[in-house]
């Protein structure tokens, strides 16, 4: 890993190889609870990464024992109905969900409440074998507030989403993988390494094709099939105008590795 910078307090930023930005959630004293400042720092980092051509993928991780324990309950306690409505958090979540480059989560330990919701904002989650996912807001007399009801049901289906949100019970990494919440389960000590390797694999592809593939896949949550298929075909056609697509096909025919420049 290259240089690590502490951009404020709640996250650390570093580079892995040339093209992977690594965001480390770093509030161990609060189990990486995502206070407003944490989300502000994450979105500031993503905003910069969005326009930095040298960043082709982002990996977010926490510690070996906790990814993130949710929204900061002490901060949440200060919110009344009106301040909850005008809070900046929904805008932060929108920025994360609109980030157009691949986002990978390396999840060890607890991913609870907003921590589970952050994991669900990732395009790909790699989980350690002892990871635990949950929406325990019901234990606090409230409900998920950052997409937990909507994204969870799409990710794992009604039966498990209802069980998790209504009971507050956590699920383990194996259940999360079987349900479609995570892409791979690794040993705890290799979770980050696997996410970084996968991020490098993705970073070596055409950034244009990656961008349009991510966009098309996510559109399926918003659109009926026929509109989604149209959008996919348009992006497929658009890529025929890219140097990267010519390079990819030429490299295959010439039996060499392609070099994608994002043009
Ligand atoms: N917010 C603020 N502080 C938190 C926190 C959170 N979500 N989770 C843990 N902490 C703090 C604790 O208050 C404690 O602080 P002090 O040392 O000052 O007392 C410190 O972190 C250590 O906590 P524990 O002793 O509980 O640590 P543990 O390792 O024994 O347990 C845990 C870890 C299972 C994650 C447990 O801390 C826990 O259950 N946390 C709360 C999880 C939760 O309810 N999350 C949902 C939050 S609401 C939400 O996220 C809403 C939303 O969708 C928008």
């Amino acid at each position: 890993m290259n240089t690590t910078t502490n951009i404020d307090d709640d996250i650390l930023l570093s580079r892995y190889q040339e093209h992977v930005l690594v965001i480390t959630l770093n509030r161990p004293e609060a189990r990486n609870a995502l206070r407003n400042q944490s989300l502000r720092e994450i979105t500031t980092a993503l905003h910069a990464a969005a326009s930095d051509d040298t960043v082709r993928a982002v990996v977010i991780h926490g510690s070996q024992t906790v990814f993130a324990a949710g929204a900061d309950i002490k901060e949440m306690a200060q919110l009344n109905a009106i301040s909850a409505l005008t809070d900046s958090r929904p805008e932060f979540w929108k920025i994360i969900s609109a980030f157009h480059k691949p986002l990978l989560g390396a999840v060890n330990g607890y991913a609870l409440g907003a921590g589970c919701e952050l994991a669900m904002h990732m395009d790909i989650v790699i989980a350690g074998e002892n990871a635990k996912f949950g929406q325990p807001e019901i234990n606090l007399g409230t409900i998920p507030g950052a997409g937990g009801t909507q994204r969870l049901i799409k990710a794992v289906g009604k039966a498990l989403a209802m069980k998790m949100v209504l009971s507050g019970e956590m699920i383990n990494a194996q259940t999360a993988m079987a349900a479609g919440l995570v892409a791979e389960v690794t040993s705890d000590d290799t979770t980050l390494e696997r996410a970084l390797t996968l991020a490098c694999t993705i970073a070596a592809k055409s950034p244009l094709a990656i961008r349009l593939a991510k966009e098309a896949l996510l559109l399926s949550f918003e659109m009926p099939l026929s509109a989604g298929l149209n959008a996919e075909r348009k992006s497929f056609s658009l890529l025929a105008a890219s140097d990267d697509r010519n390079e990819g096909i030429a490299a295959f025919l010439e039996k060499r590795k392609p070099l994608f420049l994002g043009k």
Side-chain angles (χ1 to χ4, degrees), residues 27-31 33 66 69-74 76 89 93 110 112-115 117 135-137 140 142-146 170:
R27 279 189 84 203
E29 72 287 358
R31 302 296 183 266
V66 63
D72 189 305
I73 297 171
K74 290 163 197 161
M76 210 169 83
R89 293 179 77 86
W93 289 114
Y110 297 105
L112 302 178
E117 289 165 313
Q135 297 291 159
E137 292 88 347
L140 303 170
T142 186
I143 66 169
M170 301 177 208

Side-chain angles (χ1 to χ4, degrees), residues 163-184:
K163 188 181 95 161
M164 289 171 72
V165 173
L166 301 189
S167 74
E169 281 184 13
M170 301 177 208
I171 58 170
N172 64 25
Q174 286 71 23
T175 303
M177 185 158 98
L181 194 59
V182 315
E184 276 180 36

Side-chain angles (χ1 to χ4, degrees), residues 50-250:
S51 55
D52 179 346
D53 287 344
T54 69
V55 176
R56 292 191 178 185
V58 177
V59 172
I60 301 185
H61 74 121
S63 70
Q64 278 297 95
T65 53
V66 63
F67 178 68
D72 189 305
I73 297 171
K74 290 163 197 161
E75 196 175 63
M76 210 169 83
Q78 308 304 316
L79 291 179
N80 61 32
I82 299 306
S83 54
L85 195 66
T86 56
D87 198 35
S88 41
R89 293 179 77 86
E91 291 308 314
F92 293 141
W93 289 114
K94 271 189 207 159
I95 292 171
I96 298 171
S97 66
F99 185 64
H100 68 266
K101 299 181 182 184
L103 271 176
L104 290 87
V107 176
N108 280 319
Y110 297 105
L112 302 178
C116 187
E117 289 165 313
L118 179 62
M120 286 189 282
H121 278 73
M122 302 296 109
D123 300 310
I124 302 172
V125 175
I126 308 295
E129 60 199 334
N130 289 306
K132 294 208 167 27
F133 297 83
Q135 297 291 159
E137 292 88 347
I138 205 75
N139 298 328
L140 303 170
T142 186
I143 66 169
T149 60
Q150 303 305 298
R151 287 197 175 87
L152 190 63
I153 206 160
K154 287 190 165 75
V156 307
K158 178 184 164 189
L160 193 52
M162 282 285 180
K163 188 181 95 161
M164 289 171 72
V165 173
L166 301 189
S167 74
E169 281 184 13
M170 301 177 208
I171 58 170
N172 64 25
Q174 286 71 23
T175 303
M177 185 158 98
L181 194 59
V182 315
E184 276 180 36
V185 177
T186 62
S187 61
D188 285 339
D189 53 353
T190 58
T191 316
L192 178 59
E193 188 186 318
R194 174 62 187 137
L196 293 171
T197 302
L198 191 58
C200 287
T201 299
I202 293 168
K205 314 294 181 198
S206 161
L208 300 171
I210 290 289
R211 177 179 182 151
L212 293 181
K214 171 171 170 165
E215 187 181 293
L217 285 159
L218 291 179
L219 272 180
S220 69
F221 289 122
E222 314 279 346
M223 284 188 166
L225 180 63
S226 55
L229 290 171
N230 268 337
E232 178 194 90
R233 191 69 203 174
K234 280 185 184 145
S235 292
F236 175 83
S237 307
L238 186 61
L239 286 169
S242 72
D243 292 348
D244 279 355
R245 190 259 207 180
N246 292 340
E247 165 67 4
I249 291 176

